[in-house]
Amino acid sequence: MKKVAVIMGSDSDLPVVGKAIDTLTDLEIPTEVHVFSAHRTPQACAAFTKAARENGFGAIIAAAGKAAHLAGAIAANTTLPVIGIPVKSSTLDGLDALLSTVQMPSGLPVATVAIDGAANAALLAAQILAVEDGALADKLEVIREKNTQAVLRKDAEINAQYRN
Ligand code: RP5
């Protein structure tokens, strides 16, 4: 199976990014986690990204806050699918990171999930790998069904609570 790279701009992003790592781990997807910054360690980030395809990666998740150029800088150096997670920081509620991540120029796509949407980033990476992996697709179907059943249970509870 192809690997997924999970890259964060700072270790301060880990509380958010942890949900992506946990989701990939639950799905038994081989994952490699790094701290690379578009601004603080641009050479290391570019070297990793340029070698990512030949090193067996199938998708890259990039999480960053504030002036969040990480996902875009990674997309500039690979044709692997890049999924951006805008991270909410102490100012501007993450809108700064959302706009910095999502507003890519034509020709360099970054699939941007919601602010702090780490679990969805992992699920999207899994769905990309599942195009060529039936067993992984089956696992994703199981997760969907569990989610459906959980919501149906909540519907029954709320419905019962307000019945008159
Ligand atoms: C970004 O700046 C990082 O992704 C992080 O979200 C933010 C703040 O980084 P630290 O100053 O906490 O290292 O590059």
Side-chain angles (χ1 to χ4, degrees):
M1 187 192 295
K2 296 280 188 195
K3 298 183 285 184
V4 173
V6 180
I7 302 175
M8 65 201 92
S10 166
D11 62 347
S12 67
D13 298 320
L14 191 54
V16 169
V17 176
K19 293 188 192 75
I21 299 168
D22 290 347
T23 302
L24 293 165
T25 302
D26 289 347
L27 287 164
E28 298 178 289
I29 294 173
T31 303
E32 202 172 303
V33 183
H34 289 280
V35 176
F36 290 135
S37 166
H39 308 117
R40 292 164 172 160
T41 60
Q43 287 88 358
C45 185
F48 176 88
T49 304
K50 286 176 183 173
R53 183 183 292 278
E54 69 190 49
N55 284 335
F57 291 94
I60 299 176
I61 293 172
K66 298 188 174 175
H69 299 133
L70 181 61
I74 287 171
N77 281 314
T78 184
T79 54
L80 290 174
V82 177
I83 302 164
I85 307 171
V87 175
K88 181 177 172 177
S89 63
S90 53
T91 56
L92 301 177
D93 282 337
L95 188 58
D96 46 356
L98 173 63
L99 297 179
S100 300
T101 304
V102 78
Q103 287 285 47
M104 286 296 291
S106 178
L108 283 167
V110 167
T112 305
V113 297
I115 296 167
D116 290 353
N120 264 1
L123 290 171
L124 182 53
Q127 288 179 203
I128 290 166
L129 299 192
V131 169
E132 298 284 346
D133 187 328
L136 181 55
D138 289 345
K139 287 182 187 175
L140 290 167
E141 290 290 349
V142 169
I143 290 175
R144 286 283 176 100
E145 183 56 26
K146 277 185 186 163
N147 288 343
T148 299
Q149 292 306 323
V151 174
L152 290 174
R153 276 196 300 278
K154 285 173 191 164
D155 169 58
E157 284 166 20
I158 297 280
N159 179 262
Q161 188 177 341
Y162 291 102
R163 194 169 295 149
N164 56 28

